[in-house]
Amino acid sequence: MSRPVRVRFAPSPTGLLHIGSAHTGLFNWLFARREKGRFLLRIEDTDTARSRPEWVDAIFEVLEWMGMDWDEKVVYQSQRFDRHVARARALVDSGQAYRCYYLPEELEAKKKEALAEGRYWRNDRRYADLTDAEAEALEAEGRKPVIRLKIPEGKTVFQDRILGEIAVENETIDDFVIVRSNGTPLYHLAVVSDDVDMNVTHVIRGIDHVTNTTKHIHLFQALGAELPEFAHLPSILGEDKKKLSKRHGAVSVSEYRDAGYLPDAVVNFLSLLGWQTGDDQEFFTRAELMERFSLDQVHKRDTVFDLRKFEWLNGQHIMALSNEELWTLAKPFLMRAGLIEDGLPGGQDVDHDYAMEVVGLLRERCRTLADFAVQGRFFFTDDFDYNPKAVRKHWSKEPDAVAVRIGWLRDEFTALASFDTEAVEEVVRNLSDREGLKAAQFIHPCRVALTGEMAGPSLFHLIVVLGKEACVDRLEKALVRLPDVVEQSAVSEG
Ligand code: GLU
């Protein structure tokens, strides 16, 4: 009978959680949830020089933000040091590992010699069977032993859930070190020892761990433990087909969070990096992913991080939220941009109906939450610049005539009794009919005056949301500033 699924995510807290790491974590989490198993978190903090408590907190924070809840208590690898070393000693006692007294420079020379003769160097186990007296004599010389695992003759073969059969000749695997000469355990020992103690049934990690796996199998066997299943995930590449790195832009999950990506969009996008459903569906809710994700549909090919697709998916997830939810999520971005006050709880500093209308007008246009502050700036302040491009296109060609039209709009709006979209639209139609102009000759200059931009949400709607007073003020202000702004936009073009 197969064991109940237990998988682990084992990040090293040496920096912000990288997209590649989050991807590995997510595939483990989805697999655990789909299989009704357990998702365990192990912090691999044995590299004391590079691990820091604040990076551990950053891992928790990002996992919580992504909604990747873990089961059971977090395991800290550094706290299990004694257990790792005790295991290594037991392996020495049972003859499956040995203390090796070679000095690094001696090994270097032997490796060189083997290479020159076209052989692999494998430790000759010269120190494997010493008497206590011989060992003491070597230590008296100042030699300090490492502990090495004995790799048997033959072949190492395993069935990878994604890559299929992997086989290597054992002569390519040296008796590797499991405890350093200073007495500290090596990564391989720590990982396998913890995987055994945590009863891990499936080891799902990046493809760059395949060589490690061929070693780890021998450790599992030496420890008398049942082998987990292995699944190695494809690498994530940038669009230039090189391994995703800082050169490609933001590579940590928190950078995307801070740029206004939604957790569900991050989860959805990362899930598609290597997982293929066989149909064209790309938008997945979390619940769908938890139900449909399967390791058997993960491919081995490298996968490309496509930022445009990520943005598009984020926009789709934005569209899936209610205005209320979006307002709550967009508010911190508006605050950060200085557009609204961090005032009363619930954002009562902004009229709630107003907020709902604004979000309703912007939602289709925003691909990130930060976009609400950029594209929606004019809803919260009249302190915006007139985009020189918009000015050149819609004001500069006939500034005097435009000023006259803006003046008419101001007067007509001022006179309107009911300020709704029909009435506003009628004003524009009537004026253009009267003057024998196209409606666009009013609409575009008016948009520039009210928003500073040449594109944005439906003009008649945004006029009504802004309200009569704000519109009239802005048209007035535009009239005053128009000559200067037209002049400056000409300069900025040159
Ligand atoms: N701590 C390792 C890493 O961050 C993961 C080791 C493992 O999954 O076995 O690459």
Side-chain angles (χ1 to χ4, degrees):
M1 215 184 79
S2 59
R3 298 186 280 168
V5 165
R6 292 172 65 84
V7 293
R8 77 326 189 256
F9 175 42
S12 307
T14 54
L16 291 174
L17 195 69
H18 188 278
I19 285 284
S21 243
H23 177 251
T24 300
L26 177 66
F27 278 40
N28 275 283
W29 182 78
L30 286 174
F31 179 70
R33 293 295 168 255
R34 165 72 207 261
E35 300 295 325
K36 310 266 180 282
R38 300 216 146 208
F39 173 71
L40 313 175
L41 180 57
R42 180 168 77 224
I43 301 294
E44 301 212 326
D45 53 352
T46 51
D47 182 346
T48 46
R50 294 173 60 222
S51 299
R52 285 205 245 129
E54 56 266 39
W55 299 133
V56 176
D57 291 340
I59 290 171
F60 295 155
E61 209 187 290
V62 165
L63 292 184
E64 279 166 12
W65 179 77
M66 286 179 71
M68 286 161 55
D69 52 333
W70 56 91
D71 308 304
E72 305 185 9
K73 246 174 101 184
V74 177
V75 171
Y76 292 86
Q77 194 157 60
S78 61
Q79 292 172 5
R80 305 179 48 80
F81 184 101
D82 293 346
R83 171 92 175 135
H84 304 148
V85 175
R87 276 219 151 104
R89 294 216 178 103
L91 290 176
V92 173
D93 292 344
S94 64
Q96 291 163 287
Y98 59 93
R99 292 195 173 80
C100 174
Y101 286 86
Y102 274 121
L103 296 171
E105 52 273 25
E106 291 169 343
L107 280 178
E108 219 34 64
K110 289 195 180 281
K111 271 187 199 155
K112 257 198 192 142
E113 204 181 294
L115 201 68
E117 290 169 16
R119 292 181 284 119
Y120 288 108
W121 157 257
R122 293 190 79 195
N123 196 294
D124 56 10
R125 300 184 187 167
R126 173 172 165 192
Y127 299 109
D129 298 302
L130 298 182
T131 61
D132 288 352
E134 286 168 326
E136 271 166 35
L138 286 163
E139 289 184 30
E141 272 178 36
R143 289 179 189 253
K144 284 200 160 156
V146 298
I147 298 181
R148 291 181 181 274
L149 185 74
K150 281 185 187 163
I151 304 297
E153 297 302 319
K155 242 182 173 178
T156 306
V157 184
F158 70 96
Q159 291 297 328
D160 188 284
R161 271 292 276 272
I162 296 166
L163 304 176
E165 182 175 292
I166 303 278
V168 292
E169 297 293 339
N170 290 359
E171 63 172 6
T172 65
I173 311 174
D174 193 12
D175 290 348
F176 59 89
V177 177
I178 54 177
V179 176
R180 296 183 187 86
S181 58
N182 66 4
T184 59
L186 256 98
Y187 159 77
H188 300 304
L189 174 63
V191 164
V192 175
S193 173
D194 288 347
D195 283 346
V196 171
D197 286 342
M198 293 164 78
N199 276 313
V200 169
T201 56
H202 295 73
V203 170
I204 305 170
R205 59 187 168 192
I207 198 161
D208 44 342
H209 283 286
V210 169
T211 312
N212 291 334
T213 298
T214 60
K215 293 180 171 177
H216 294 177
I217 284 173
H218 294 285
L219 262 169
F220 277 105
Q221 285 166 343
L223 294 173
E226 193 174 328
L227 273 187
E229 267 198 66
F230 292 96
H232 291 92
L233 305 173
S235 283
I236 305 174
L237 308 181
E239 276 170 59
D240 56 1
K241 304 280 151 68
K242 303 228 167 77
K243 205 169 160 115
L244 191 67
S245 76
K246 283 219 169 77
R247 283 180 300 111
H248 296 103
V251 285
S252 65
V253 176
S254 38
E255 284 170 283
Y256 287 96
R257 176 194 60 197
D258 297 346
Y261 283 75
L262 300 173
D264 279 0
V266 174
V267 164
N268 186 169
F269 175 67
L270 291 183
S271 75
L272 298 178
L273 293 177
W275 174 58
Q276 266 174 341
T277 54
D279 56 34
D280 292 337
Q281 184 175 347
E282 297 200 288
F283 179 92
F284 288 92
T285 63
R286 187 178 295 263
E288 277 176 301
L289 288 172
M290 281 158 71
E291 195 177 308
R292 290 189 51 185
F293 179 80
S294 157
L295 274 182
D296 301 322
Q297 292 173 314
V298 176
H299 61 67
K300 22 181 155 171
R301 291 187 314 280
D302 292 339
T303 165
V304 174
F305 184 94
D306 179 347
L307 186 57
R308 274 178 302 275
K309 181 162 160 187
F310 196 2
E311 274 173 8
W312 171 80
L313 261 180
N314 201 50
Q316 299 295 302
H317 281 273
I318 283 180
M319 289 296 287
L321 294 177
S322 68
N323 290 346
E324 195 77 60
E325 289 166 319
L326 275 176
W327 175 242
T328 306
L329 293 169
K331 255 170 53 183
F333 291 84
L334 297 170
M335 284 178 197
R336 220 180 294 159
L339 295 176
I340 60 173
E341 298 276 317
D342 184 4
L344 307 167
Q348 287 156 26
D349 43 331
V350 176
D351 179 79
H352 187 258
D353 292 343
Y354 184 72
M356 291 303 105
E357 303 217 50
V358 168
V359 170
L361 282 182
L362 289 172
R363 52 185 294 138
E364 276 176 39
R365 313 185 58 84
C366 291
R367 300 220 147 174
T368 65
L369 296 171
D371 269 355
F372 283 87
V374 177
Q375 303 214 33
R377 182 177 175 83
F378 67 88
F379 279 118
F380 300 98
T381 176
D382 57 6
D383 178 18
F384 54 78
D385 294 329
Y386 300 101
N387 178 345
K389 253 192 177 154
V391 171
R392 286 197 294 272
K393 188 150 186 215
H394 298 304
W395 283 4
S396 302
K397 287 177 193 139
E398 35 173 8
D400 294 340
V402 163
V404 172
R405 275 176 244 152
I406 289 177
W408 285 332
L409 285 171
R410 175 202 53 195
D411 296 343
E412 295 291 329
F413 286 167
T414 309
L416 271 187
S418 78
F419 204 71
D420 55 35
T421 44
E422 289 77 30
V424 166
E425 188 167 354
E426 207 179 296
V427 163
V428 172
R429 303 271 166 239
N430 288 345
L431 281 174
S432 39
D433 285 351
R434 190 185 83 193
E435 299 301 320
L437 293 168
K438 283 188 239 136
Q441 289 172 288
F442 286 90
I443 289 174
H444 295 311
C446 178
R447 182 188 290 284
V448 179
L450 297 179
T451 72
E453 291 297 336
M454 58 185 168
S458 144
L459 183 71
F460 299 133
H461 287 94
L462 77 83
I463 285 176
V464 173
V465 171
L466 278 174
K468 181 161 154 176
E469 200 184 318
C471 287
V472 168
D473 280 358
R474 287 180 193 198
L475 292 170
E476 184 64 41
K477 190 168 153 194
L479 277 180
V480 176
R481 299 209 34 214
L482 187 138
D484 282 350
V485 170
V486 164
E487 203 177 305
Q488 277 159 18
S489 75
V491 175
S492 80
E493 185 180 29

